[in-house]
Amino acid sequence: MEGKATRIEWIGSNCRLLTATSAEFERTRPFEGLTIGTGIHLEPKTVALLMTLRAGGGRLVCTGNLNSTQPSTVEFLRAQGIIVFATQTTDPAAHHRTLEAVIAERPDLLLDNGGDLFAIAVERPYANLLGGTEETTSGRTRLLQLRTRLNVPVLVINDSPIKQFAENRHAVGQSLFESYLRFTNRSTNGKRVTVFGYGACGKGTAACFRNAFSIVSVVDIDPVTTLEAHLDGFVTPLREAAIRSADILVTVTGFAGIVTAADLPLLKDGAILMNGGHFPQEIDVEAFRSHPDVVGIELYEADHIETFRLKDGRCFHVLGGGHMANLAGPRPLGNTVESMDLGFTLQARCLERIAKGEVGAESCVVPVPAEIDAMVAGAYLDLSR
């Protein structure tokens, strides 16, 4: 008999590592009696992680990130009895209130994405916080400044080599390339693409566009990294020339103010701007909207494309309001199921280690323990053979 399965069910059936981990957690119950507060993109792949943590006995209180919360995911989680404060919003103040609501529950463990939850917990400390995980480079940079005040173990998933090559290089590059196609339905053949940042995400993004017959330039503030891009066969012009020549500009640096209103005179007529960084700050869209040289703005609402028209007759386009493109716009799919299965299993295993008291406060804003990397890599390979 035919049935109608959901995307959440499809993804759950393809997260083989999390399925195996969930079965183990049902026996071992590492989170029994603990509340886990999460602030991570709420989309179908996240469901597989959250249900794994719940299988381990955890009580979950959740919110999402700016612009990436998918209402169908929230609805599903609430139907499972999970507390969800998130709404789909681009308003930082509204989002911050949901973060505060999570911390008000005084969770024992935090699963953070961008350092938002830990930053509030530092300002409003409470005794039962055991520690937690941070997903991103942006969050690690932020939490390093708070390290002396945190005084709990925080394991940084993004510093795992598995996260770097499996998710950041392979999956982010692939999903940003897919997002460009999804937003615009335009070709990449012969287009000049400038990628800002040549970390793992930038490497994958540059490679995917080059493999799709684009002419790719790389801009990075680090001369050593720029040399690597050069030796990898990418064009490495100075920043101004890279902007002037680009049909497509992609930011994947983790830092604010990468393309700003000061760059408006440099933008090629018809240029398309897209951000892949966690925070919507790499492309200064708000400054574009208020700039005196911008004489008209058109929003292709269904496609989430904003067109800016300039006094001199040029125009340029911003995808997804400058938010992380692979979880914005029409039918946002994010990274591949397999890459998130790996990354989320790292999350689950790191939280397990902290819940058991096997990691101390000296491990504050440090990489995933090497033995967890080895365990997850071995399990994935065993399932793939």
Side-chain angles (χ1 to χ4, degrees):
M1 181 177 177
E2 289 189 9
K4 187 176 180 181
T6 66
R7 184 167 159 238
I8 287 174
E9 290 168 328
W10 162 256
I11 287 170
S13 68
N14 283 276
C15 285
R16 297 188 294 169
L17 280 176
L18 285 174
T19 298
T21 304
S22 183
E24 178 188 328
F25 281 0
E26 285 181 350
R27 298 190 304 272
T28 60
R29 306 289 283 182
F31 309 118
E32 194 73 58
L34 300 179
T35 296
I36 304 172
T38 76
I40 196 166
H41 304 293
L42 288 179
E43 51 99 17
K45 290 181 287 293
T46 314
V47 171
L49 169 60
L50 297 179
M51 298 306 288
T52 298
L53 299 179
R54 194 173 77 162
R59 171 182 175 261
L60 299 178
V61 290
C62 309
T63 190
N65 294 138
L66 269 179
N67 194 49
S68 62
T69 295
Q70 297 185 16
S72 58
T73 297
V74 173
E75 182 181 350
F76 178 89
L77 291 171
R78 286 176 175 162
Q80 303 302 311
I82 292 173
I83 300 170
V84 183
F85 298 109
T87 58
Q88 188 177 43
T89 182
T90 59
D91 179 1
H95 173 57
H96 190 77
R97 287 192 290 272
T98 71
L99 296 165
E100 290 179 326
V102 170
I103 295 300
E105 297 286 326
R106 300 171 64 89
D108 302 280
L109 297 166
L110 294 179
L111 192 161
D112 210 351
N113 200 19
D116 292 326
L117 291 173
F118 278 111
I120 297 173
V122 162
E123 297 302 324
R124 302 176 189 176
Y126 55 93
N128 60 292
L129 179 61
L130 301 176
T133 57
E134 166 54 44
E135 175 82 1
T136 65
T137 300
S138 306
R140 186 235 297 145
T141 300
R142 186 178 183 185
L143 295 184
L144 279 173
Q145 300 173 24
L146 302 174
R147 196 173 184 177
T148 57
R149 299 171 63 191
L150 284 167
N151 199 35
V152 292
V154 180
L155 302 180
V156 181
I157 307 303
N158 202 64
D159 288 345
S160 161
I162 294 174
K163 176 74 158 56
Q164 286 290 309
F165 61 69
E167 185 177 339
N168 293 356
R169 177 155 56 92
H170 288 298
V172 171
Q174 190 177 61
S175 66
L176 286 177
F177 169 72
E178 176 275 328
S179 297
Y180 167 79
L181 299 178
R182 173 168 51 87
F183 272 96
T184 68
N185 197 29
R186 292 183 57 178
S187 74
T188 56
N189 304 66
K191 299 290 196 303
R192 295 186 177 273
V193 179
T194 291
V195 176
F196 290 90
Y198 201 65
C201 294
K203 289 174 184 174
T205 302
C208 282
F209 276 97
R210 178 167 66 182
N211 290 342
F213 306 101
S214 298
I215 303 159
V216 181
S217 298
V218 170
V219 176
D220 196 289
I221 60 173
D222 184 345
V224 175
T225 306
T226 304
L227 174 61
E228 182 181 10
H230 172 76
L231 296 178
D232 286 344
F234 295 103
V235 186
T236 53
L238 294 176
R239 181 181 182 278
E240 181 175 323
I243 294 175
R244 285 188 185 279
S245 67
D247 300 299
I248 305 163
L249 299 92
V250 188
T251 57
V252 277
T253 71
F255 294 96
I258 302 304
V259 180
T260 71
D263 298 314
L264 290 180
L266 306 177
L267 292 175
K268 189 175 183 179
D269 186 29
I272 295 172
L273 282 64
M274 179 173 71
N275 173 47
H278 177 72
F279 292 112
Q281 301 169 346
E282 301 201 25
I283 301 171
D284 196 351
V285 181
E286 288 304 318
F288 296 163
R289 290 175 182 146
S290 60
H291 197 277
D293 286 350
V294 173
V295 295
I297 303 174
E298 299 164 8
L299 177 62
Y300 298 89
E301 189 169 2
D303 297 313
H304 299 257
I305 300 172
E306 202 166 1
T307 295
F308 294 80
R309 301 198 177 278
L310 301 171
K311 283 181 180 178
D312 61 9
R314 288 177 298 132
C315 73
F316 64 94
H317 316 281
V318 177
L319 307 185
H323 288 268
M324 190 166 57
N326 55 5
L327 281 170
R331 199 167 184 261
L333 297 175
N335 294 332
T336 58
V337 175
E338 293 88 345
S339 70
M340 299 308 296
D341 192 24
L342 280 161
F344 283 165
T345 302
L346 291 173
Q347 287 275 15
R349 291 299 185 181
C350 286
L351 288 173
E352 176 192 29
R353 182 70 63 90
I354 295 167
K356 290 180 173 180
E358 296 174 358
V359 184
E362 71 281 356
S363 298
C364 187
V365 195
V366 302
V368 173
E371 61 270 26
I372 292 180
D373 284 324
M375 176 200 305
V376 172
Y380 187 90
L381 289 170
D382 287 344
L383 290 169
S384 302
R385 291 185 175 113

